[in-house]
Amino acid sequence: MNRPTAGPDPWRVPITVAHVPDTGLHRKLEASAAERRAMAELAGLREILSAQAAFDVTPKSGGRVHVTGYVRARVGQTCVVTLDPIENEIDEEIDLMFAPEAEVRRLADLIEEGQDNEEPPEIADPPEAIVGGVIDLGRLATDALFLAIDPYPRKSGAVFEAEVTTSDPGDHPFAVLKALQDKKKDE
C-alpha cells in the first residue's frame, strides 16, 4: 500500500475498547469534505467525492474485538489510457479481529517459530493490535479504501494501442552483418 506512515490520519474515529458494551455497538461514518480532500492527497487521487463506512464492533473473549462492516466511496481518478477524468466506485467489505498488543506479539513470535519447521502449520490471519486500548474506525475505513483503489484506472472502452511503424529492412540492427555476408559470397 502506498500509505505514508508519517503525518496524521485524515479520517479519525477512535473508539475505546473498554467502552464497547457486551452487546457490541454499531457505528456509521461519513468523511467530511476536509477529510476527503486530505485522503485524496495521501492516496494521489484527483478527489474523493464521497466516503462512508459502517461497522459492527463486537467484544470477544480474551480482550479480542471483532470488527465487521464496509466502506463505500466514489473516487475521482485519471484514465491511464486517455488521461480523461473518470470516477470509480469502491465497495469494500471489512472483517477483522483485533487483540491486545501483548497477544499479537505472542502470536507473531509463534508464527515466526513455526517458520523454522519445514511445514508451517495452517494459521489464520493474525489479529490486528489494539493500540492503547483504542481501535480507530476512521483509519480502518481509510486503509480499506486505499487498498481498493484501482492503481491503473481506465475509462470504459479505453484501449491502449501501440503505434505500429514498419521499419526499413536496411535499418535492422543485423543488416550490416547481412551485407558483409552477401559481399563475402560474391567474392
Side-chain angles (χ1 to χ4, degrees):
M1 179 164 65
N2 297 335
R3 182 186 180 86
T5 54
D9 288 316
W11 193 10
R12 297 208 30 131
V13 184
I15 60 161
T16 304
V17 172
H19 297 154
V20 175
D22 291 341
T23 56
L25 61 86
H26 180 76
R27 289 284 184 266
K28 285 189 173 188
L29 317 176
E30 182 148 359
S32 69
E35 289 165 334
R36 291 192 319 267
R37 275 193 303 276
M39 288 189 302
E41 187 176 319
L42 268 178
L45 298 171
R46 268 190 315 104
E47 62 186 327
I48 296 178
L49 300 145
S50 65
Q52 303 91 26
F55 294 102
D56 288 310
V57 181
T58 311
K60 299 291 183 185
S61 63
R64 291 177 175 232
V65 177
H66 190 203
V67 178
T68 57
Y70 64 85
V71 61
R72 293 189 180 124
R74 186 162 186 81
V75 298
Q77 295 181 272
T78 302
C79 174
V80 295
V81 176
T82 64
L83 301 180
D84 291 337
I86 58 172
E87 293 179 5
N88 285 316
E89 296 287 334
I90 303 235
D91 188 352
E92 199 66 21
E93 296 292 320
I94 297 168
D95 186 349
L96 292 171
M97 185 65 72
F98 285 80
E101 284 182 280
E103 183 181 344
V104 172
R105 279 195 299 273
R106 185 181 63 78
L107 287 170
D109 290 344
L110 288 173
I111 291 169
E112 195 170 303
E113 287 174 18
Q115 290 177 348
D116 294 339
N117 301 333
E118 285 185 30
E119 289 187 39
E122 288 296 317
I123 301 174
D125 287 340
E128 301 290 322
I130 299 171
V131 180
V134 171
I135 297 173
D136 190 337
L137 298 179
R139 179 172 188 169
L140 184 57
T142 303
D143 287 347
L145 184 142
F146 284 5
L147 286 170
I149 293 170
D150 182 352
Y152 304 104
R154 287 184 178 208
K155 187 176 180 178
S156 180
V159 178
F160 178 75
E161 293 181 17
E163 186 177 322
V164 178
T165 57
T166 57
S167 60
D168 180 1
D171 288 342
H172 192 276
F174 297 108
V176 173
L177 294 175
K178 174 112 172 79
L180 285 174
Q181 190 178 26
D182 290 345
K183 184 177 179 183
K184 200 171 192 178
K185 283 182 187 174
D186 291 339
E187 291 177 355

